[in-house]
Amino acid sequence: MRILVLGGTVFLGRALARQALQAGHDVVCAARGESGEPVEGAAFVRVDRDRADGLDAIEGAFDAVVDVARHPHHVRHAVGALSGRVAHYTLVSSCSAYADSVTPGQTAATAPLLPPDFDGDPGAGAEEYGRCKVACERLAADGFGADRTFLVRAGMIVGPEDPTYRFEYWVRRALRGGEVLAPGGPDEAVQLVDVRDLADWIIAAGGSGLAGALDGIGAPMRREEFHAGFAEAAGVPQQLTWVAQDFLLDREVAPWSGPRSLPFWLPLPEYAGFLSRDVTASLAAGLRTRPLAETVRDTIEAIRDASHIDAKNGLGIDEEAQLLREWHER
């Protein structure tokens, strides 16, 4: 196939280009070129998606287009520039598009969506980001045709080159070993997908013409299994200490991400549905996911300095130690 990746210079975009090239496809990446470099072997076209004519430099027809846009006007401009010369279009949307984060076991076919915001700012907060993604979905399906548009509602994407540090926090924590502060309880659900598995599925969808909306995330696992995957890959002895969410919230430990946070942890019951989606349909449609320990091992290999702690996401060493002392003294 001749594949156009609108993006292609950061994380999922780079994985898409790399995996497509390895599969023998011809790849063009179109981006501003300010966030990173395209992978070797991909053609690169510099574009400005904020402009209505910003994609005019892209020439020719494509068997498949993959778009990671979150700004509705970027999708609107893509429709204007590419409609009529695209056989299949994939929009990487988000599970943040769903309106109900409380109910476990929801499916892409039945879960309610947030109302779309066609002129919103996806950087204005989690809900606004989701509303903008819903608007992007509507524009894509209307512009390229619902029968030729694949809407992938991605969950937490992990693996090498992840710029968010959320997954890497737990990788580095496993490498240090010892007593590990584990949030919540061992039976709580966690859900994620390796960036390479998601990329492979999206590329295959372009070839098969898969259309409609599906969740791009692996099956839920127990939080105890989640931590076991890190311990297996790191090979360093560790002891999990399960710390109740109310204790963490009372001490201003943030969920999900950010300074003084515990990534991949969300308070219950208000987020019981966010990391427990039913992805039976996605797996039946060809999504294949590798063992967590493999993703952890590959991420370890990509880390140059395992002792580094990124204060932007996660707990610092001293913060975790203090919380564990207070938990044992309670």
Side-chain angles (χ1 to χ4, degrees):
M1 293 185 293
R2 185 170 191 243
I3 299 175
L4 171 65
V5 181
L6 293 172
T9 60
V10 178
F11 199 31
L12 176 58
R14 287 179 60 81
L16 284 161
R18 185 183 296 113
Q19 303 291 102
L21 287 166
Q22 290 176 354
H25 302 298
D26 180 20
V27 179
V28 177
C29 294
R32 293 176 303 172
E34 297 176 0
S35 301
E37 296 294 326
V39 299
E40 184 177 354
F44 178 68
V45 180
R46 193 175 303 276
V47 298
D48 181 357
R49 302 193 66 181
D50 285 333
R51 296 171 52 92
D53 61 353
L55 300 181
D56 286 357
I58 300 174
E59 299 178 346
F62 296 91
D63 300 292
V65 173
V66 184
D67 192 352
V68 298
R70 58 179 183 167
H71 292 278
H73 68 276
H74 287 179
V75 178
R76 190 180 293 115
H77 294 163
V79 171
L82 301 172
S83 181
R85 50 192 177 111
V86 172
H88 184 271
Y89 175 94
T90 294
L91 175 76
V92 181
S93 186
S94 170
C95 286
S96 294
Y98 294 115
D100 180 1
S101 297
V102 177
T103 307
Q106 297 180 79
T107 70
T110 60
L113 297 175
L114 291 166
D117 188 339
F118 292 93
D119 299 302
D121 176 8
E127 181 170 334
E128 186 60 20
Y129 171 77
R131 288 163 58 93
C132 287
K133 278 295 194 180
V134 175
C136 290
E137 291 185 9
R138 300 276 181 88
L139 290 165
D142 290 344
F144 292 103
D147 61 336
R148 295 188 295 122
T149 300
F150 181 33
L151 305 174
V152 183
R153 295 180 185 139
M156 178 66 90
I157 308 173
V158 304
E161 297 189 338
D162 177 3
T164 70
Y165 190 75
R166 288 175 295 200
F167 185 74
E168 193 173 315
Y169 169 80
W170 289 112
V171 173
R172 293 179 182 276
R173 186 62 195 87
L175 289 170
R176 296 205 316 271
E179 185 182 14
V180 177
L181 193 162
D187 293 326
E188 294 178 8
V190 179
Q191 235 174 340
L192 49 81
V193 65
D194 187 295
V195 66
R196 297 162 295 183
D197 296 334
L198 182 60
D200 281 342
W201 188 40
I202 290 171
I203 294 162
S208 67
L210 181 62
L214 290 169
D215 290 330
I217 192 168
M221 68 182 76
R222 297 169 61 246
R223 189 169 291 280
E224 189 170 46
E225 296 176 76
F226 173 76
H227 288 290
F230 289 91
E232 176 187 344
V236 179
Q238 66 175 31
Q239 172 193 347
L240 296 179
T241 295
W242 297 99
V243 178
Q245 73 169 32
D246 290 347
F247 177 91
L248 296 171
L249 294 172
D250 287 346
R251 284 153 183 80
E252 298 183 334
V253 177
W256 199 244
S257 65
R260 192 176 167 80
S261 72
L262 283 167
F264 284 86
W265 165 59
L266 287 169
L268 303 179
E270 55 263 48
Y271 290 103
F274 198 78
L275 295 175
S276 61
R277 302 195 59 78
D278 181 346
V279 294
T280 303
S282 301
L283 298 173
L287 174 62
R288 298 290 177 264
T289 58
R290 69 194 67 202
L292 174 59
E294 181 180 333
T295 303
V296 177
R297 279 192 292 269
D298 292 343
T299 304
I300 289 172
E301 291 181 5
I303 295 174
R304 294 183 179 180
D305 178 8
S307 65
H308 171 71
I309 300 295
D310 187 339
K312 293 183 293 184
N313 274 307
L315 293 176
I317 294 175
D318 293 340
E319 289 176 325
E320 183 192 29
Q322 178 62 31
L323 287 165
L324 286 169
R325 282 194 297 270
E326 293 178 11
W327 174 249
H328 291 306
E329 293 169 356
R330 72 196 187 287

